[in-house]
Structures are given as C-alpha cells and as structure tokens.
Amino acid sequence: FEWGIVLPLDSLKGTEMNKLLEKKTRAFHFPLHPKAVEFLIETFASGTKSLQRALQALMLRSHLSSKNQTSTQLTIPQIRQVLADLI
C-alpha cells in the first residue's frame, strides 16, 4: 500500500458508452429505443458522469411525470423536453 499502483483510465468511447447505457436501462427496467440511446450519447458526450446523470434525471422525471406511461418508450422530442435544462 505504500508504493501504490498507477493505472491509466481512459474515457469511454461510443460503443462502450452504448453498452453502459444498455446495461443501466436494463437494470432499471427502463427501455429506450436505440435512436434515443444514440441521442443521449451524442448530446452528453462530454463524459460518462454527465451521461449517467442525464439518464438518472430522465428516468426520475419520466417516472414522476403523469403524461408518460411506463409501457411506452420515450421519443427523442420527449427526451429533449424532459432534459431541456441539462441540454
């Protein structure tokens, strides 16, 4: 423990971010259309933390919204509206 170890940590790229989002959405039973996943990755490309925060906000806000039903997938315009303050 005195010497430590140095590990390079690279940020995730497109396909890795896609896999991360797919795993998170499956874990929370929150289905997203592949186009919606692409939109989130392109919009929040600054890093995985901003992407994860956006996904968490999307899940919470869509759950709290009485307009959206859990059985339907969100469209890109709906996602854009729900996350307008983050975009």
Side-chain angles (χ1 to χ4, degrees), residues 47-85:
T48 55
K49 284 189 179 185
S50 64
L51 181 62
Q52 289 182 11
R53 283 188 202 129
L55 180 63
Q56 291 171 354
L58 180 64
M59 289 188 294
L60 177 65
R61 292 172 184 179
S62 65
H63 178 71
L64 293 175
S65 174
S66 61
K67 292 185 275 184
N68 297 325
Q69 299 174 357
T70 57
S71 62
T72 61
Q73 291 184 352
L74 295 172
T75 63
I76 292 175
Q78 289 172 325
I79 293 172
R80 191 176 279 132
Q81 180 183 8
V82 170
L83 298 178
D85 62 326

Side-chain angles (χ1 to χ4, degrees), residues 13-23 37-38 41:
K13 301 299 176 206
T15 57
E16 296 166 333
M17 291 179 90
N18 196 347
K19 288 179 184 178
L20 174 71
L21 272 184
E22 287 178 6
K23 285 182 181 180
V37 171
E38 288 177 24
I41 291 172

Side-chain angles (χ1 to χ4, degrees), residues 32-52:
L32 282 177
H33 191 274
K35 293 286 185 185
V37 171
E38 288 177 24
F39 171 75
L40 288 173
I41 291 172
E42 290 172 5
T43 305
F44 299 98
S46 62
T48 55
K49 284 189 179 185
S50 64
L51 181 62
Q52 289 182 11

